Amino acid sequence: MIDRLQKILGDKGLITDPQEMHPYLIDWRDRRKGNAVCVALPANVEEVSRTMKVAAEEGQPVFPLGGNTGLCYGGVPESPSPEDKPGIVISLQRMKQIREIDAAANIATADAGVILAELHEKCKPYKRQFPLYLGSEGSAQIGGLISTNAGGTGVVKYGPMRDLVCGIEVVLADGRILTDLEGLKKNNTGYDLKHLFIGAEGTLGIVTGAALRLHPENTNDAHAWVSVDSPETAVRLFTEFQDKCGPYIEAFELLSGTEIDAVIRHIDRIHVPFDAVPDWSLMIELTSTDTSVDLNSVFEEILGENLENGSVLDAFIASNSTQAEQIWHVRHSVTEANKLEGMGLVHDVAVRVSKVPAFIAKAKDVTAEKFPMATPILVNHLGDGNVHYILMFPHEYWNNLADPDAVTHDVQACVHDIAASFGGTFSAEHGVGRKLTDELKRLCDPLRYELMQTVKRSFDPDNRMNPGVLFEQKKSN
């Protein structure tokens, strides 16, 4: 099999040395490691197709890998038959061509291996933007972002990845290529199959390319860091912003003081524009394509009124791009800071925006009673209801646990049940991966779960595409 793949991929397209393979087998936080017989690095969709056909003929599982920035171990290769069929990792890092930017249609067509930050740069000369922004944009790849239906800070205005994909190219488990890159606004010709692959986490096929929705670049922006006394006040303020300037809201992020403290401890060049770190911080971005709109005045009006009535404790409005970058440097550094802070158990729940304060209050009360040794850290995409409720355990405590997996399970079930009690979900943007398969089975509507399994069998009857992701698997003895 290795010889066959070598002929298809060439010297630059195949890795078999265990040491060179290591970065492709482990998640970026070094918490879980898998195994594979090799790592394939195809340079185009035809090479992906031929590689998939070899894998099918050999009965080898296939593990698609994007930028490996996920938090649910979806990129860690774990075969159900690790001894005789360890599987093939397929990384699309060499497929990084932006095939077309169509400014009139507002569409960029790109390979799946294109880095998000590179796409941002390539759109600028066309006065367009691809409005997905997140902390890992320097390494996250388009294919992985599609496969996990990534969110980011701009979901309140532009929606998640599902709303930004208008066409897709996928190689199926048997090597056939499904191409739908027209990106038409109107095309009512039956099932819209692309939505099956968005958020499927590589379990139905490998995304190799996509037509992506662009938006006019925002030539006008304003940024503020606001101190509030509670999540309830934050929701009231968000509602007021929606009423008075809804179309301008690009990001509306709520962070706990414990999160900002962690960022200060571990990340360089952090500037807090207040005398003390607020207990609750809102980081807000307003944008417009109309340069005549005075967005700073919008901030001054709304925040000024709320400072007078006591709803806002303090506020800082950026007066230049450097100050704006300082605000968002804090926000986009949270993941790296949390990795260094301790053993963080990250939850990715979502409830309606109106229910965010009640969820936070109940989660804090319940987890304080059950897990008093953990510090709650919160990052909340308030504009879309996505709450990253993180319980941070000290490394020393965690390393001395007799059964850390059991504690992890208890913590997850506790927080997820609270979200479910408010009509929420346990996975808003991180996906299910290998981490939460039991939670999907436990909390998903049984009929929906059954229908998803039916879809999986239809596209991948031999269960070779990323086995163990989304659905639990039993390893062979």
Side-chain angles (χ1 to χ4, degrees), residues 101-218:
I101 294 181
D102 186 337
N106 285 314
I107 291 174
T109 306
D111 285 351
V114 169
I115 301 296
L116 179 58
E118 295 176 357
L119 179 59
H120 288 163
E121 287 299 315
K122 293 294 185 181
C123 290
K124 288 181 180 179
Y126 297 87
K127 298 183 179 180
R128 298 292 185 270
Q129 62 164 327
F130 180 65
L132 182 74
Y133 300 99
L134 32 75
S136 60
E137 63 184 46
S139 54
Q141 296 176 10
I142 295 300
L145 294 167
I146 292 171
S147 296
T148 56
N149 189 28
T153 57
V155 169
V156 62
K157 187 169 187 176
Y158 302 104
M161 200 68 176
R162 188 176 299 280
D163 295 327
L164 299 174
V165 176
C166 55
I168 203 165
E169 176 186 81
V170 182
V171 177
L172 302 180
D174 58 8
R176 289 181 296 170
I177 303 171
L178 174 64
T179 302
D180 178 17
L181 294 174
E182 290 83 0
L184 303 176
K185 281 197 177 247
K186 292 183 177 180
N187 186 359
N188 191 20
T189 53
Y191 304 129
D192 193 346
L193 295 177
K194 67 176 178 289
H195 287 292
L196 287 175
F197 299 95
I198 302 170
E201 301 188 54
T203 60
L204 303 180
I206 299 182
V207 176
T208 54
L212 305 168
R213 297 192 188 282
L214 304 181
H215 289 257
E217 67 176 353
N218 293 312

Side-chain angles (χ1 to χ4, degrees), residues 6-321:
Q6 187 80 52
K7 291 179 181 178
I8 294 169
L9 301 168
D11 293 336
K12 295 182 179 180
L14 191 66
I15 302 174
T16 56
D17 178 81
Q19 191 169 6
E20 293 182 28
M21 288 172 59
H22 179 79
Y24 300 88
L25 307 180
I26 192 166
D27 83 292
W28 73 276
R29 292 184 297 179
D30 298 330
R31 294 186 181 181
R32 190 157 171 166
K33 183 178 183 297
N35 189 33
V37 66
C38 63
V39 176
L41 306 168
N44 51 59
V45 65
E46 290 77 16
E47 289 186 3
V48 176
S49 173
R50 294 172 65 190
T51 299
M52 290 290 286
K53 289 177 180 177
V54 170
E57 292 166 4
E58 298 284 344
Q60 290 282 356
V62 171
F63 303 100
L65 183 66
N68 199 19
T69 56
L71 298 174
C72 295
Y73 313 128
V76 178
E78 295 182 5
S79 171
S81 305
E83 299 301 325
D84 58 339
K85 300 290 184 181
I88 301 169
V89 172
I90 299 184
S91 167
L92 303 187
Q93 67 184 51
R94 295 175 66 205
M95 293 181 59
K96 50 188 179 182
Q97 179 182 357
I98 296 176
R99 306 179 192 179
E100 180 188 26
I101 294 181
D102 186 337
N106 285 314
I107 291 174
T109 306
D111 285 351
V114 169
I115 301 296
L116 179 58
E118 295 176 357
L119 179 59
H120 288 163
E121 287 299 315
K122 293 294 185 181
C123 290
K124 288 181 180 179
Y126 297 87
K127 298 183 179 180
R128 298 292 185 270
Q129 62 164 327
F130 180 65
L132 182 74
Y133 300 99
L134 32 75
S136 60
E137 63 184 46
S139 54
Q141 296 176 10
I142 295 300
L145 294 167
I146 292 171
S147 296
T148 56
N149 189 28
T153 57
V155 169
V156 62
K157 187 169 187 176
Y158 302 104
M161 200 68 176
R162 188 176 299 280
D163 295 327
L164 299 174
V165 176
C166 55
I168 203 165
E169 176 186 81
V170 182
V171 177
L172 302 180
D174 58 8
R176 289 181 296 170
I177 303 171
L178 174 64
T179 302
D180 178 17
L181 294 174
E182 290 83 0
L184 303 176
K185 281 197 177 247
K186 292 183 177 180
N187 186 359
N188 191 20
T189 53
Y191 304 129
D192 193 346
L193 295 177
K194 67 176 178 289
H195 287 292
L196 287 175
F197 299 95
I198 302 170
E201 301 188 54
T203 60
L204 303 180
I206 299 182
V207 176
T208 54
L212 305 168
R213 297 192 188 282
L214 304 181
H215 289 257
E217 67 176 353
N218 293 312
T219 52
N220 187 7
D221 59 83
H223 310 261
W225 185 337
V226 182
S227 170
V228 295
D229 60 0
S230 67
E232 288 82 0
T233 297
V235 171
R236 288 198 299 272
L237 199 60
F238 177 62
T239 303
E240 184 174 348
F241 269 87
Q242 288 186 100
D243 293 342
K244 295 182 177 179
C245 62
Y248 301 144
I249 301 173
E250 173 105 0
F252 213 95
E253 303 284 295
L254 177 67
L255 280 72
S256 66
T258 51
E259 178 60 87
I260 295 174
D261 285 337
V263 172
I264 292 171
R265 278 191 289 272
H266 301 289
I267 306 299
D268 295 333
R269 299 184 298 104
I270 296 300
H271 176 73
V272 178
F274 308 115
D275 293 336
V277 172
D279 289 338
W280 295 101
S281 289
L282 281 172
M283 295 177 179
I284 308 169
E285 180 179 10
L286 305 180
T287 61
S288 175
T289 58
D290 184 352
T291 56
S292 67
V293 177
D294 190 345
L295 295 177
N296 278 340
S297 291
V298 174
F299 268 138
E300 291 167 1
E301 176 187 347
I302 297 175
L303 296 178
E305 293 174 357
N306 283 277
L307 279 164
E308 290 181 5
N309 64 33
S311 296
V312 168
L313 304 179
D314 205 347
F316 172 79
I317 301 172
S319 60
N320 53 55
S321 61

Side-chain angles (χ1 to χ4, degrees), residues 295-349:
L295 295 177
N296 278 340
S297 291
V298 174
F299 268 138
E300 291 167 1
E301 176 187 347
I302 297 175
L303 296 178
E305 293 174 357
N306 283 277
L307 279 164
E308 290 181 5
N309 64 33
S311 296
V312 168
L313 304 179
D314 205 347
F316 172 79
I317 301 172
S319 60
N320 53 55
S321 61
T322 299
Q323 292 179 346
E325 288 169 3
Q326 288 173 340
I327 293 174
W328 295 105
H329 177 52
V330 175
R331 171 60 188 89
H332 290 308
S333 296
V334 299
T335 302
E336 186 62 32
N338 291 346
K339 178 182 178 182
L340 299 170
E341 176 72 5
M343 181 63 187
L345 299 188
V346 181
H347 303 90
D348 176 42
V349 309

